Amino acid sequence: MEGVQKEKLASVSNLVTVFENCRTLGAAPGAHVLEATHHSPGCRPLPSAGPWERPSVGEAPGSGPRTVSRRYLSSLKNKLSSGAWRKSCQPGTQPGPGMQEPEKRIVQELLETEQAYVARLHLLDQVFFQELLKEARSSKAFPEDVVRLIFSNISSIYQFHAQFFLPELQRRLDDWSATPHIGDVIQKLAPFLKMYSEYVKNFERAAELLATWTDKSPQFQEVLTRIQSSEASGSLTLQHHMLEPVQRIPRYELLLKEYVQKLPAEAPDRADAQKALDMIFSAAQHSNAAITEMERLQELWEVYQRLGLEDDIVDPSNTLLREGPVLKISFRRRDPMERYLFLFNNMLLYCVPRVIQVGAHFQVRTRIDVAGMKVRELTDAEFPHSFLVSGKQRTLELQARSQEEMISWMQACQAAIDQIEKRNETFKAAVQGSEGDVQKELQSEELGLRAPQWVRDKMVTMCMRCQEPFNALTRRRHHCRACGYVVCGRCSDYRAELKYDDNRPNRVCFSCYTFLTGNVLPEDKDDRRRHILEKGSTAGSEQSLMCSFLQLVGDKWGKSGSRGWCVIPRDDPLVLYVYAAPQDIRAHTSIPLLGYQVTAGPQGDPRVFQLQQSGQLYTFKAETEELRGRWMKAMERAASGWSPGESNDGDLSD
């Protein structure tokens, strides 16, 4: 047996000698020395080439090295997580030649693969790394830092395996008859395997640098070609050899798992071997976490580049949760506008796509902090799949392309909000203390603390404070920056500092001005008698027996327009109020329905119906026959003097 071990050591020594000789020019290609590593029966070897294949016949071994793909790296991470490689090797049923104990055969295989692995590390560190470093210092054709970045901490990995791990394995197997244990050795050295995380994290960047400088520097390519075509390299590329450390930890786990399975239940090494297997698995997960972190940072950097690398946005600690296009519902324009959202763990970026996408692809219009943000669905027949995002900096009405997309955006936003609130849970409890009831009351009065939801211009035809109708010249529309109401210039001729806008003075209506500043308005501005038609349509819609748009047919309506928002309120169930727009405070017409006759229209249109009484005739047209039927039923009940308390009939509103 000792003769076999000496033969194996001599084989490794010969490989190292070949590596040292490959530094001389003119080494001819030879057999694939490192490809002849031993594999146990019934155990499939791990993929050795990954995204790189062996050069085809007639192809120069060093020509055109390929960059590693992120897809392959993600596949490797998934295998580490799912344990696919651990399941790919089942215990062998036939012992190796000359082996009586299955567990000893596995330890022998571990030693043999470690010898071949150390030889490959020697090639990476002492040949490729040192030769490239030497060329960089002498020719100055490429920076030394590039070489160091490509090989990362390969020198530390090589020294650990050559000076510690391999000698320990060799000594234990030489003394196997006296100490048939391997678990304690692996336990002692397994924590050092976490150094692979740095190498794995740098792996993709190293491959990109390698491809870049191979094309950029002839001297760099000449060194690679010379070494790759040598017998020591087995005519394989540097990328092929660099992949070996990435695959090594799964190889340890695979062999050690098989070793534990082969051990008898009463074996003295079983407990140590199982603990060693757990430690190897932990090291594999550590590498998996490094790959995940590398992918996160890479994706984050690509997003920041698309946003123009603005200083107040770039933060490596951020996590991108979701991104995608949405439609912005405008307060002034009829058609929604194309916009793009980036949702991070701490902020929502509202962006506009650039027309000329040179450099940055998006311009950030607004940054909304997730802390304090609220999200809810909007019920808007004109804009389906719409939702509201309300933050301290701004409130947005957005429209998704489908119901599923809207729900997905709302869930992502709410998850980010919940995570922020969970972190601040302790702080919130300390601040509220015994004033919990007061805090709850103040939540309904958020004027100035967060950006309001603006009422759309087309939803009103008159000022929401003084009820005077708007026109294009003398009474134009303005928005109160505190409450979001559409008001006229006279009612918004006030300025108040708003906290959500860094305490800058903003245009506000007189009601918000009084609340925010505590100042009392002059009597000539505030003393006003309430009009008989001032019953807000918003309140009527929420507490109505019936409400919807109806076409107003005929000359009876005058200048009121051909379409009206009609409401029968619950608190005034015998009167029909007609508004120019759903958000108007004052109706332009009210019709007491008691005593009216409700009939079908004479025009032959099944959607038309009429109200008639002693010379008074009002003609309406509903959008559908079903809606006309509901309106006729509601008006007939009102005309007969019915009130909501007399029966259990439900709400008829649209």
Side-chain angles (χ1 to χ4, degrees):
M1 187 64 201
E2 292 181 359
V4 175
Q5 299 302 329
K6 291 180 180 179
E7 182 181 350
K8 293 297 181 181
L9 285 176
S11 176
V12 176
S13 300
N14 291 336
L15 283 174
V16 174
T17 302
V18 172
F19 292 148
E20 294 295 344
N21 293 336
C22 81
R23 300 193 184 199
T24 61
L25 294 173
H32 295 236
V33 178
L34 297 177
E35 291 301 300
T37 55
H38 176 72
H39 298 289
S40 63
C43 179
R44 296 175 303 200
L46 292 177
S48 59
W52 305 286
E53 302 296 335
R54 188 172 301 179
S56 59
V57 177
E59 180 185 358
S63 63
R66 309 171 190 170
T67 59
V68 67
S69 64
R70 182 177 297 174
R71 180 181 300 176
Y72 177 77
L73 207 57
S74 298
S75 173
L76 179 62
K77 180 192 71 175
N78 293 335
K79 288 178 180 179
L80 289 172
S81 300
S82 63
W85 287 358
R86 295 192 295 275
K87 297 176 183 178
S88 65
C89 180
Q90 299 300 329
T93 56
Q94 297 179 358
M99 285 288 182
Q100 299 298 326
E101 301 173 0
E103 61 271 21
K104 186 176 181 181
R105 173 180 56 81
I106 297 170
V107 175
Q108 178 67 41
E109 181 181 352
L110 177 61
L111 177 63
E112 292 172 355
T113 57
E114 185 69 13
Q115 290 168 345
Y117 178 57
V118 169
R120 180 144 320 169
L121 290 177
H122 180 92
L123 175 66
L124 284 170
D125 182 50
Q126 299 298 312
V127 181
F128 278 106
F129 182 32
Q130 296 301 328
E131 288 296 316
L132 286 171
L133 206 56
K134 180 181 177 181
E135 181 66 25
R137 290 169 179 168
S138 60
S139 67
K140 306 295 183 183
F142 48 91
E144 293 183 37
D145 289 342
V146 170
V147 180
R148 299 185 190 280
L149 285 172
I150 289 175
F151 290 93
S152 186
N153 63 333
I154 193 65
S155 297
S156 300
I157 295 175
Y158 169 61
Q159 291 176 11
F160 166 72
H161 285 272
Q163 298 179 17
F164 297 98
F165 202 32
L166 179 58
E168 285 287 339
L169 288 177
Q170 185 66 64
R171 282 193 292 268
R172 182 53 56 92
L173 194 59
D174 291 343
D175 197 27
W176 186 259
S177 57
T179 54
H181 301 275
I182 197 66
D184 56 336
V185 173
I186 297 178
Q187 280 188 51
K188 182 172 63 174
L189 300 175
F192 294 96
L193 296 178
K194 291 186 177 181
M195 71 173 69
Y196 278 79
S197 296
E198 181 180 345
Y199 183 89
V200 172
K201 189 184 299 184
N202 185 66
F203 185 64
E204 184 175 3
R205 185 185 181 191
E208 292 173 354
L209 284 173
L210 184 58
T212 299
W213 283 96
T214 301
D215 296 335
K216 190 174 182 180
S217 172
Q219 293 89 337
F220 190 94
Q221 185 177 15
E222 190 277 329
V223 175
L224 288 186
T225 303
R226 170 164 50 85
I227 302 175
Q228 289 173 162
S229 61
S230 67
E231 180 182 359
S233 182
S235 297
L236 298 176
T237 63
L238 172 57
Q239 294 98 320
H240 180 103
H241 298 302
M242 288 173 61
L243 188 62
E244 189 76 10
V246 178
Q247 298 175 334
R248 187 56 186 167
I249 293 181
R251 165 69 68 183
Y252 289 139
E253 186 180 2
L254 184 149
L255 290 173
L256 195 56
K257 182 177 182 181
E258 185 179 1
Y259 174 75
V260 172
Q261 290 175 345
K262 293 294 186 182
L263 283 175
E266 65 280 0
D269 194 29
R270 187 169 185 83
D272 285 339
Q274 183 60 53
K275 187 175 180 181
L277 178 61
D278 295 339
M279 296 176 71
I280 292 292
F281 178 73
S282 176
Q285 293 301 310
H286 204 264
S287 296
N288 182 22
I291 296 175
T292 303
E293 178 66 10
M294 179 192 65
E295 290 179 339
R296 186 189 71 83
L297 292 175
Q298 181 67 25
E299 292 175 356
L300 200 60
W301 177 251
E302 291 175 357
V303 169
Y304 287 152
Q305 285 181 316
R306 292 158 62 196
L307 294 171
L309 299 177
E310 297 186 20
D311 293 338
D312 59 337
I313 294 176
V314 176
D315 185 350
S317 64
N318 288 345
T319 301
L320 179 65
L321 303 179
R322 182 181 172 86
E323 65 169 289
V326 294
L327 295 175
K328 166 67 168 59
I329 300 174
S330 174
F331 302 108
R332 305 198 185 280
R333 298 174 56 180
R334 178 176 296 272
D335 297 327
M337 300 170 290
E338 291 282 349
R339 294 294 184 261
Y340 204 90
L341 298 182
F342 290 91
L343 176 62
F344 295 87
N345 58 307
N346 63 339
M347 62 182 174
L348 176 69
L349 299 183
Y350 169 70
C351 305
V352 179
R354 292 182 182 270
V355 178
I356 302 177
Q357 296 187 352
V358 178
H361 294 179
F362 299 95
Q363 178 185 358
V364 179
R365 283 285 182 86
T366 303
R367 166 180 170 163
I368 301 176
D369 293 335
V370 171
M373 190 171 75
K374 296 180 180 179
V375 59
R376 63 179 175 86
E377 183 178 358
L378 295 176
T379 54
D380 193 325
E382 185 177 1
F383 298 101
H385 323 310
S386 57
F387 60 101
L388 179 78
V389 176
S390 175
K392 295 179 180 178
Q393 292 82 6
R394 188 171 177 182
T395 294
L396 302 170
E397 290 187 36
L398 304 171
Q399 183 183 17
R401 291 171 293 187
S402 64
Q403 183 74 9
E404 294 74 16
E405 186 178 277
M406 181 200 72
I407 294 174
S408 179
W409 269 113
M410 292 180 61
Q411 289 177 344
C413 291
Q414 192 59 52
I417 295 169
D418 294 343
Q419 188 64 28
I420 289 287
E421 290 180 349
K422 186 177 180 180
R423 292 180 184 176
N424 299 334
E425 199 171 36
T426 306
F427 176 76
K428 281 186 176 182
V431 171
Q432 288 179 357
S434 60
E435 300 179 0
D437 296 337
V438 178
Q439 183 71 16
K440 183 176 181 181
E441 181 181 350
L442 291 177
Q443 286 177 358
S444 63
E445 301 291 354
E446 296 182 330
L447 287 176
L449 300 181
R450 63 166 58 242
Q453 178 185 3
W454 284 17
V455 177
R456 299 174 209 158
D457 285 359
K458 66 178 180 180
M459 300 299 289
V460 295
T461 61
M462 62 188 69
C463 175
M464 299 180 72
R465 292 303 183 191
C466 68
Q467 287 81 50
E468 294 297 329
F470 290 118
N471 59 64
L473 296 177
T474 60
R475 186 169 284 107
R476 300 178 61 185
R477 291 174 170 85
H478 302 275
H479 276 93
C480 171
R481 267 56 176 180
C483 65
Y485 275 19
V486 183
V487 291
C488 65
R490 181 174 179 270
C491 291
S492 61
D493 191 20
Y494 306 93
R495 295 261 171 188
E497 296 179 354
L498 302 180
K499 289 186 177 180
Y500 77 82
D501 195 26
D502 297 330
N503 289 320
R504 286 192 288 262
N506 281 261
R507 176 193 287 266
V508 295
C509 65
F510 62 83
S511 296
C512 295
Y513 174 79
T514 304
F515 178 84
L516 293 170
T517 64
N519 297 333
V520 180
L521 295 177
E523 292 184 2
D524 60 340
K525 288 190 175 183
D526 194 35
D527 188 13
R528 214 175 113 300
R529 295 185 62 186
R530 185 175 178 87
H531 197 277
I532 191 172
L533 296 177
E534 290 181 17
K535 176 182 287 289
S537 68
T538 302
S541 301
E542 295 172 353
Q543 303 174 4
S544 64
L545 296 174
M546 186 71 189
C547 65
S548 76
F549 278 109
L550 292 175
Q551 294 290 330
L552 312 178
V553 183
D555 299 332
K556 180 73 175 176
W557 303 99
K559 297 182 179 180
S560 300
S562 61
R563 192 168 183 251
W565 179 257
C566 302
V567 179
I568 301 179
R570 284 187 180 276
D571 58 355
D572 198 2
L574 305 183
V575 180
L576 172 68
Y577 290 88
V578 183
Y579 300 84
Q583 296 287 344
D584 280 355
I585 299 298
R586 188 173 65 187
H588 63 71
T589 303
S590 65
I591 304 174
L593 296 174
L594 190 63
Y596 269 85
Q597 293 181 352
V598 185
T599 61
Q603 291 87 345
D605 192 329
R607 296 176 295 171
V608 175
F609 64 98
Q610 293 179 326
L611 283 175
Q612 186 174 5
Q613 183 188 50
S614 61
Q616 295 289 334
L617 179 65
Y618 298 94
T619 304
F620 302 89
K621 182 178 179 180
E623 294 182 355
T624 63
E625 292 185 47
E626 185 269 339
L627 183 59
R628 186 197 75 154
R630 290 164 54 197
W631 268 112
M632 292 182 66
K633 180 179 179 180
M635 290 183 179
E636 287 172 352
R637 293 192 306 184
S640 65
W642 174 89
S643 61
E646 294 181 5
S647 68
N648 294 326
D649 288 349
D651 191 352
L652 298 172
S653 61
D654 188 17

